[in-house]
Amino acid sequence: MLFLLTMFLASLSAGYIIFYLKRLIPEANSYPLLFKVVLGHRWAVYAAVCVYGLMFMVIMAQSVVMIDSWLEIGESFSLSKKFAVLITMLVSFTMMQSRTMGNLSVVSIFGLVTLLVPVVMIIAMIAEQVDTPGYPAGESVAVGSDPVAIILGLLAIVFSFSGHIIFFELINEYSDPSSFPKSLVTSQTLVLVTLGSFASIIYGLAGDAPWITAPITQSLRPGPANDIVQVLVLLHVGVVVAIFGTILSRAVQSQAEPAVKLAWAALRRKVSKRRARTLGGHKASADLTVDAVAAAMGAGVEEPEAGLRKVAAPTDWSVSAVVWWMLWSGVTVVAAGSLAALVPSFEGMMVFAAALVISQTSLAWPGAFDLLALDPTREGARRIVWRVNDGLQVVLGVFFLVAGLTANSVDIA
């Protein structure tokens, strides 16, 4: 519980730092752009690999939960894993068609309800299961004796505070960015209260019982109540996938779509010129074809390449914009869902992501950038307090990066 409170305070601090960085550097609409402005292009590439790699791992981990839930629901009629993966992809893809953060915020309210209800149901079901045949209670100890297990357990808490990777994008979507701190405090407090009370109650009921696994939904006894919980968890996890998947798909789209459009236009231009030469070398005919292609793909006749480099805004609901979005969101869903089918466990993916990336994005990076960009703007005691805070953030992040990867390696071995 003490570490959960520590992560809550560190998370709040990191969130405020990101908010202040966004105000100081308005063009920093994401972590990679912040790195580019402050440290240069090469570091921006590193940040992009970490941030978007983490988003992909989060989507994969949540997809594993969805697949397992579908298998639990379909156990009575022998639902195959391939079909469970397919349904997971379809649900995730459908929820991602919300496109805008405004629409996703409405969906998130629904996601909150589908979190709180199963939490209450799971507590009641675990309480009923404990000390029945096949579900013995374990021991309750203040601190375990296995250092690897302790580190992996702490990483599970770190994973719960992984939202910082999308804070820049979220702030950019606010009509009034100054209201972000209120949302930050509300969301992190909700994580603290929900996770803290839930974990404490479950541990008080079952201790370290071997049948308690991650995700907790896989620890429930089969039955109608279990099916209801699985459906609600599916909906909640689908919201998480939609939020992270939307931001990741936008990043993919911003880079890949212009390249596809330009390559297609170049191919059409080449074919048109060959056709023109075949018909007698009518240059005007080839030029006209280029202009037509550019116009069809959203470019002006005078500047076809500039037009082809444009990507439709999330608020653009034209047919072409929707089709392009369906393509890139579909690529994200299929890639994550396919790889999720190969992941042996949600817990393994969760602690690996926490050790490798969340230790940086939610702890070390905010502290480091506060020292680099915001520290010069402060004076006196306030400056000293923030320096101490930043130092602790960086130390905590480096610790979990090194200790977490080491613990993961030992656990795998």
Side-chain angles (χ1 to χ4, degrees):
M1 194 65 184
L2 178 61
F3 179 73
L4 179 61
L5 181 59
T6 301
M7 276 303 303
F8 166 73
L9 295 174
S11 178
L12 277 183
S13 170
Y16 271 102
I17 289 172
I18 290 173
F19 173 68
Y20 293 139
L21 285 169
K22 175 62 179 172
R23 288 205 307 184
L24 181 67
I25 310 172
E27 61 269 34
N29 295 327
S30 65
Y31 255 133
L33 288 176
L34 175 68
F35 270 75
K36 185 176 182 180
V37 172
V38 178
L39 299 175
H41 177 72
R42 290 185 179 180
W43 281 102
V45 173
Y46 169 75
V49 171
C50 289
V51 168
Y52 299 124
L54 174 59
M55 288 185 190
F56 190 73
M57 285 190 284
V58 169
I59 296 169
M60 281 179 58
Q62 302 300 339
S63 295
V64 170
V65 176
M66 294 177 73
I67 291 169
D68 289 343
S69 291
W70 281 117
L71 290 174
E72 282 283 325
I73 296 171
E75 186 176 8
S76 59
F77 47 90
S78 302
L79 181 71
S80 69
K81 186 170 184 177
K82 289 182 179 179
F83 196 66
V85 172
L86 182 62
I87 300 174
T88 295
M89 291 180 183
L90 182 60
V91 171
S92 300
F93 175 78
T94 301
M95 298 187 77
M96 282 175 63
Q97 301 318 300
S98 302
R99 291 187 65 193
T100 69
M101 285 300 163
N103 292 339
L104 285 172
S105 65
V106 176
V107 176
S108 297
I109 297 174
F110 177 70
L112 178 61
V113 174
T114 55
L115 169 65
L116 297 179
V117 173
V119 161
V120 175
M121 292 184 66
I122 289 171
I123 290 173
M125 294 172 70
I126 294 294
E128 184 182 0
Q129 285 178 211
V130 174
D131 288 332
T132 61
Y135 301 96
E139 295 182 359
S140 297
V141 294
V143 180
S145 57
D146 183 356
V148 172
I150 292 173
I151 295 296
L152 295 179
L154 295 179
L155 285 171
I157 296 175
V158 173
F159 183 85
S160 302
F161 293 91
S162 60
H164 298 78
I165 56 170
I166 62 173
F167 280 2
F168 282 104
E169 288 86 350
L170 290 179
I171 294 172
N172 201 47
E173 296 282 341
Y174 274 58
S175 56
D176 179 17
S178 64
S179 63
F180 174 77
K182 295 180 182 178
S183 301
L184 171 68
V185 173
T186 301
S187 62
Q188 302 309 294
T189 302
L190 181 63
V191 173
L192 172 67
V193 174
T194 304
L195 183 60
S197 58
F198 181 72
S200 298
I201 294 172
I202 295 299
Y203 192 71
L205 290 170
D208 61 354
W211 51 272
I212 297 290
T213 61
I216 189 69
T217 51
Q218 302 305 305
S219 306
L220 303 178
R221 185 159 39 202
N226 181 30
D227 291 342
I228 294 173
V229 168
Q230 300 294 346
V231 170
L232 292 173
V233 168
L234 273 169
L235 295 173
H236 169 71
V237 172
V239 173
V240 176
V241 170
I243 294 173
F244 280 85
T246 295
I247 294 175
L248 178 59
S249 297
R250 283 187 188 178
V252 173
Q253 182 181 25
S254 67
Q255 299 299 315
E257 186 175 317
V260 171
K261 289 179 177 178
L262 289 168
W264 178 248
L267 178 62
R268 291 292 298 268
R269 186 185 302 114
K270 190 174 182 179
V271 171
S272 297
K273 287 182 177 179
R274 285 183 179 178
R275 187 175 299 170
R277 284 197 298 268
T278 302
L279 296 175
H282 297 293
K283 183 176 182 297
S285 174
D287 290 340
L288 180 61
T289 304
V290 174
D291 292 341
V293 171
M297 302 186 89
V301 173
E302 294 182 359
E303 297 182 7
E305 184 170 313
L308 293 175
R309 292 184 184 277
K310 293 179 180 178
V311 174
T315 52
D316 183 352
W317 293 95
S318 63
V319 174
S320 61
V322 171
V323 170
W324 276 113
W325 176 252
M326 291 176 69
L327 170 64
W328 301 119
S329 58
V331 168
T332 300
V333 167
V334 171
S338 299
L339 291 176
L342 305 176
V343 174
S345 73
F346 165 77
E347 186 176 12
M349 175 61 67
M350 175 179 62
V351 296
F352 178 73
L356 183 62
V357 187
I358 301 174
S359 60
Q360 301 180 65
T361 57
S362 294
L363 294 170
W365 287 1
F369 276 105
D370 190 72
L371 289 171
L372 287 171
L374 295 173
D375 182 70
T377 66
R378 304 189 184 105
E379 295 179 351
R382 184 166 177 264
R383 190 177 196 180
I384 295 173
V385 170
W386 272 106
R387 282 183 175 180
V388 172
N389 172 81
D390 297 340
L392 292 174
Q393 293 262 144
V394 173
V395 169
L396 197 59
V398 172
F399 170 77
F400 278 110
L401 176 62
V402 176
L405 290 178
T406 303
N408 268 279
S409 300
V410 173
D411 186 55
I412 293 173

